[in-house]
Amino acid sequence: MARTQKLVLETWKIRYNFHSIAVLLLIAIVIAVVYLKGDSQGFVEQQKTPDESIPRCDLFSGKWVYDNITYPLYKENQCSFMELDFACEKFCRKDLNYQKWRWQPHNCDLPRFNATALLEKLRGKKLVFVGDSLNRNQWVSMLCLIESSIPSWSSKSLIWKGNSIVFKATDYNATIQFYWSPFLVESNCDEIKDHKGRARIIRFNAIEKHARQWTDADMLIFDSFVWWLEPKMTLLWGSFGSSDAIYKEVGKSYRPYEMALNTWSDWLEIHINRSRTKLFFMSLSPHHRVGEDWGRDKGRNCYSETEPILKDGYRGSDTDGRMMQIVESAIHELETRGLKIEYLNITQLSDYRKDAHPSVYRKFWVPPTEEQLANPNSYSDCVHWCLPGVPDVWNMILYSYIMHS
């Protein structure tokens, strides 16, 4: 009897120990599964974050931060595509701090430009900048950013073709092109090498001559503002040189701009392949011609300015909000017709940078007069941008949209 009780007791102990171990193992497995699931979710979230952060983050709201460690992103004299209109260091600008300001969005970081990744994205594709000299400013910046990051042995070329300047990265079969069309529609200023000093005549309802050069693009980046700011221009009904053409001179008005954008919109709606072509429109690039806006004496402008405006939300009187509204309205109307355009609103971030224009430090194709030389404010370029500089940030934002599209 005692022996039987002992065996039962031993058996119970074994079963107890087995169940205890089993329970402990089960608890351990549950904990491990929960941990791994949580860790896995964390890993997935980490993987998703770069792709999802761009849409959630406002890249256009932020501040300029001085950064002489990681900026500039390239050297002016090492960019073989640099143009004399934007080469401020070459034309004796001594203060180079304009190259060392980094744009910092308020709630995230601007993705670092990766030329190799962009060229892989553009492999076998064509990206075209369409617009005026500010769009050309951005295009040159793009080429400088790319050249500074790809191997010197990588084959590349630059070809002038009609109204276009075409960059090709041969190893990637990638094309990055600039197409001169300052009004988007036809005008008497459409010759890329000879368009200055003319009374402007705009054929506002004609775009096919230009647009047929864009139909095979995979990405189109438009801009058209500054050429519309003249105090007067002439509108043309009919063809240039036609005996029955009608010309009408008008003062500064927003209506011609609206009519031209309607022509542009109608063409896009009919001709753009929605499954292939990505569309972008760069917002107005602000001028800094009124120094009174930031506390300077009357008659002063961007000349001799060496620091950005640090007042949050600053907007200069030269920045035409009405023109921006017209573009935004045209883009919204196209979206209602099923055509998506990314509007990259770089106006505010650029408005802070009164220090970043060429001013007198550029090639002037018509030499300044003695009277102008005596007053540098009178011939300072406060419209375009030095490179490296502000357009690099435009391209970093464009890059983030392209890479996450």
Side-chain angles (χ1 to χ4, degrees):
M1 181 69 179
R3 188 169 178 272
T4 302
Q5 287 178 337
K6 186 177 180 181
L7 285 171
V8 170
L9 181 62
E10 291 296 331
T11 303
W12 181 84
K13 285 181 179 179
I14 291 169
R15 288 178 178 176
Y16 176 81
N17 289 338
F18 175 79
H19 285 302
S20 298
I21 293 169
V23 168
L24 288 173
L25 284 172
L26 181 61
I27 292 171
I29 290 169
V30 170
I31 291 172
V33 169
V34 170
Y35 175 81
L36 289 173
K37 184 179 179 182
D39 191 58
S40 175
Q41 285 176 341
F43 178 75
V44 171
E45 286 171 2
Q46 276 188 331
Q47 294 303 300
K48 286 183 178 179
T49 297
D51 289 336
E52 294 179 349
S53 63
I54 297 304
R56 287 204 300 260
C57 177
D58 183 359
L59 297 178
F60 309 103
S61 177
K63 62 181 179 179
W64 289 95
V65 178
Y66 186 75
D67 180 354
N68 63 351
I69 305 299
T70 60
Y71 278 66
L73 299 175
Y74 55 88
K75 299 291 186 183
E76 177 195 293
N77 61 4
Q78 293 176 359
C79 177
S80 62
F81 305 106
M82 183 61 64
E83 296 192 359
L84 300 181
D85 297 292
F86 319 129
C88 303
E89 186 176 355
K90 177 182 178 69
F91 286 92
C92 303
R93 181 164 178 173
K94 302 301 181 186
D95 166 51
L96 301 181
N97 283 340
Y98 68 89
Q99 301 178 356
K100 301 171 184 176
W101 289 89
R102 171 171 53 83
W103 178 246
Q104 178 62 57
H106 285 313
N107 299 312
C108 60
D109 292 323
L110 188 60
R112 186 84 172 172
F113 188 90
N114 185 323
T116 304
L118 177 62
L119 289 172
E120 282 293 349
K121 188 80 169 180
L122 295 178
R123 184 180 288 277
K125 293 183 172 62
K126 177 189 284 190
L127 182 154
V128 184
F129 290 87
V130 179
D132 55 29
S133 56
L134 285 160
N135 216 352
R136 184 169 175 173
N137 208 166
Q138 184 178 357
W139 172 78
V140 173
S141 160
M142 177 68 84
L143 300 193
C144 292
L145 285 165
I146 287 174
E147 185 180 37
S148 66
S149 301
I150 61 175
S152 57
W153 47 260
S154 183
S155 178
K156 50 190 180 291
S157 64
L158 195 70
I159 301 169
W160 287 70
K161 183 180 179 182
N163 259 26
S164 295
I165 316 174
V166 182
F167 167 82
K168 280 187 174 286
T170 309
D171 296 337
Y172 296 87
N173 189 27
T175 300
I176 302 176
Q177 177 177 339
F178 169 73
Y179 185 90
W180 172 260
S181 181
F183 295 102
L184 300 182
V185 292
E186 290 183 34
S187 77
N188 66 334
C189 304
D190 287 342
E191 173 53 54
I192 189 170
K193 294 182 179 180
D194 181 24
H195 54 257
K196 298 178 181 179
R198 297 182 180 183
R200 292 167 189 181
I201 304 173
I202 297 123
R203 194 178 172 209
F204 64 88
N205 58 359
I207 197 172
E208 182 63 30
K209 174 185 171 184
H210 297 314
R212 63 179 176 228
Q213 308 296 327
W214 320 330
T215 50
D216 61 343
D218 298 277
M219 298 177 195
L220 284 166
I221 298 95
F222 294 100
D223 121 284
S224 183
F225 288 99
V226 67
W227 279 66
W228 294 93
L229 297 175
E230 288 294 296
K232 63 181 180 179
M233 59 182 60
T234 300
L235 303 181
L236 167 61
W237 285 261
S239 303
F240 286 102
S242 173
S243 59
D244 59 353
I246 300 172
Y247 294 83
K248 181 180 179 181
E249 185 175 279
V250 296
K252 184 177 178 180
S253 166
Y254 294 112
R255 183 56 186 152
Y257 190 50
E258 290 177 323
M259 292 190 296
L261 285 179
N262 287 338
T263 300
W264 169 79
S265 299
D266 290 343
W267 186 89
L268 289 177
E269 183 184 13
I270 296 170
H271 294 91
I272 286 297
N273 183 337
R274 288 163 168 76
S275 63
R276 173 188 177 182
T277 306
K278 304 293 183 185
L279 302 171
F280 302 87
F281 204 108
M282 304 303 297
S283 74
L284 184 148
S285 173
H287 310 160
H288 290 92
R289 297 184 290 202
V290 184
E292 296 165 86
D293 287 347
W294 59 88
R296 296 298 189 189
D297 295 334
K298 187 175 182 179
R300 291 285 299 274
N301 55 27
C302 70
Y303 174 69
S304 78
E305 295 292 341
T306 58
E307 292 184 350
I309 296 165
L310 300 177
K311 180 183 176 182
D312 190 37
Y314 169 85
R315 175 158 292 187
S317 61
D318 237 2
T319 302
D320 197 320
R322 176 61 183 140
M323 291 190 77
M324 293 174 64
Q325 290 173 1
I326 292 170
V327 172
E328 290 165 14
S329 177
I331 290 173
H332 177 72
E333 174 61 26
L334 276 173
E335 287 181 349
T336 65
R337 298 187 234 168
L339 194 61
K340 174 67 175 174
I341 300 181
E342 294 288 358
Y343 181 62
L344 304 189
N345 194 344
I346 50 82
T347 303
Q348 181 74 77
L349 70 88
S350 307
D351 225 341
Y352 296 121
R353 295 302 307 276
K354 61 181 172 60
D355 61 310
H357 296 284
S359 179
V360 299
Y361 305 106
R362 55 164 290 182
K363 171 71 174 179
F364 284 92
W365 303 98
V366 177
T369 64
E370 289 187 13
E371 184 179 0
Q372 287 177 318
L373 290 171
N375 177 19
N377 287 279
S378 66
Y379 71 102
S380 286
D381 180 354
C382 298
V383 175
H384 301 97
W385 304 92
C386 298
L387 294 178
V390 172
D392 302 331
V393 174
W394 303 349
N395 279 322
M396 291 170 75
I397 293 173
L398 175 63
Y399 164 81
S400 69
Y401 273 80
I402 290 173
M403 296 305 293
H404 294 87
S405 64

